Amino acid sequence: MKAIIQRVTNATVTVEGEQVSSIGRGLCVLLGISAEDTQRDADYIVRKILNMRLFEDENRRAWSKSVMDRDFEVLCVSQFTLQCILKGNKPDFHSAMPAELAQPFYNSILENMRSVYKPELIKDGKFGALMQVHIQNDGPVTIELTSPTGPTDPKQLSKQEKQQQRKEKTRSKGPSESGREKGALRSRQDPNASSGAEGDVSSEREP
C-alpha cells in the first residue's frame, strides 16, 4: 500500500463542478491500494498517518506534533494510479486492487481511522469518480509512505519462524548456563586454557 501524505493549510475535492469535501489545516492523503494488500498493510498506513509528527508544537518547534495532537483534519483520496508500473512509456495499473475489492477495503480504512481519531475530522473524496483535488501544500511538506512487505513464500516464512524460535531459545537460557557452555567449548578447543574461576578474564565479563 502506498500513500502520499501532504501537510496542507487547506484542501478540497470537486466532482463535476460540485465540491464534495474540504478541510482546513491538516493532512491530505492520496492512497493507492495494491492487489496484494491485507489488513496488516492498512493498519500500518493508518497508524503512520495519524502519528507522524509533521506539525510544530505550541512553541513553534518543528516536527513535534501529529495531526491528532493538533486536532487537525485528514482528507483521504483513493488513487489507484500510485500503483502504476511503467511499460516503456505506458502506465500499467494491473498491480492495483480491482475496484470491486478496493472500495470496501478503502472504506474499512476510513472507518479504522475514524475509530482511532475523531470521526468528524476524517474526510474523503468520491471513490471511482473523476475528481479535481485542490491542495495548498504547507511547507511544502510531502511524505511518501509504503507499507512494509513480508515474505509470502511458505518456505521463507517457515525459515523466519525457525530463526525466531532459535532466538527465543537462546534468550530463555540464563547467562550462567550460556557461560558454562562457552567455557566448555573453549576447554575442548584448548585443554591448556585456564577457566574464568582461575583468574582468566573471559569476553563475557567485559563491559
Side-chain angles (χ1 to χ4, degrees):
M1 188 175 297
K2 296 181 179 181
I4 302 297
I5 303 167
Q6 299 183 73
R7 188 179 72 184
V8 301
T9 53
N10 63 76
T12 62
V13 176
T14 303
V15 177
E16 296 181 352
E18 179 183 354
Q19 182 175 297
V20 298
S21 193
S22 67
I23 63 169
R25 286 201 72 186
L27 300 175
C28 182
V29 180
L30 307 178
L31 191 64
I33 303 173
S34 84
E36 304 298 325
D37 284 336
T38 65
Q39 188 60 45
R40 183 178 180 181
D41 299 280
D43 292 343
Y44 174 87
I45 291 291
V46 168
R47 184 170 67 252
K48 290 301 182 182
I49 290 170
L50 296 179
N51 290 283
M52 279 196 302
R53 294 181 293 178
L54 301 181
F55 299 92
E56 72 280 0
D57 62 14
E58 58 276 5
N59 297 317
R60 302 193 66 79
R61 185 164 58 101
W63 319 114
S64 300
K65 297 292 184 179
S66 69
V67 69
M68 291 198 299
D69 293 332
R70 297 298 306 270
D71 284 332
F72 288 158
E73 296 174 285
V74 179
L75 173 60
C76 286
V77 178
S78 177
Q79 188 171 5
F80 72 91
T81 58
L82 287 176
Q83 296 294 338
C84 168
I85 297 174
L86 283 178
K87 293 187 175 180
N89 291 322
K90 182 179 180 181
D92 182 281
F93 305 111
H94 283 93
S95 63
M97 183 176 288
E100 62 273 16
L101 299 176
Q103 185 168 9
F105 193 21
Y106 173 73
N107 290 337
S108 73
I109 293 171
L110 293 176
E111 290 307 311
N112 189 0
M113 294 181 69
R114 288 170 178 144
S115 69
V116 175
Y117 190 31
K118 298 177 180 178
E120 68 275 12
L121 298 182
I122 305 297
K123 310 291 182 62
D124 70 318
K126 187 174 181 180
F127 188 94
L130 181 61
M131 294 175 278
Q132 286 74 51
V133 184
H134 301 271
I135 301 169
Q136 187 167 327
N137 197 312
D138 180 24
V141 173
T142 301
I143 305 296
E144 182 179 358
L145 189 63
T146 303
S147 60
T149 55
T152 56
D153 181 9
K155 292 182 180 179
Q156 184 66 17
L157 286 170
S158 177
K159 182 179 179 181
Q160 282 195 348
E161 289 172 356
K162 289 179 180 179
Q163 289 175 342
Q164 183 63 27
Q165 289 172 357
R166 284 197 294 269
K167 288 180 181 179
E168 292 175 355
K169 186 176 181 180
T170 301
R171 285 196 297 267
S172 67
K173 293 180 179 180
S176 58
E177 181 182 350
S178 178
R180 284 195 298 270
E181 290 178 354
K182 291 180 180 179
L185 177 61
R186 284 197 301 270
S187 297
R188 287 196 297 271
Q189 292 173 341
D190 184 2
N192 298 321
S194 61
S195 67
E198 295 173 347
D200 180 36
V201 180
S202 73
S203 61
E204 294 162 8
R205 296 187 180 184
E206 294 177 0

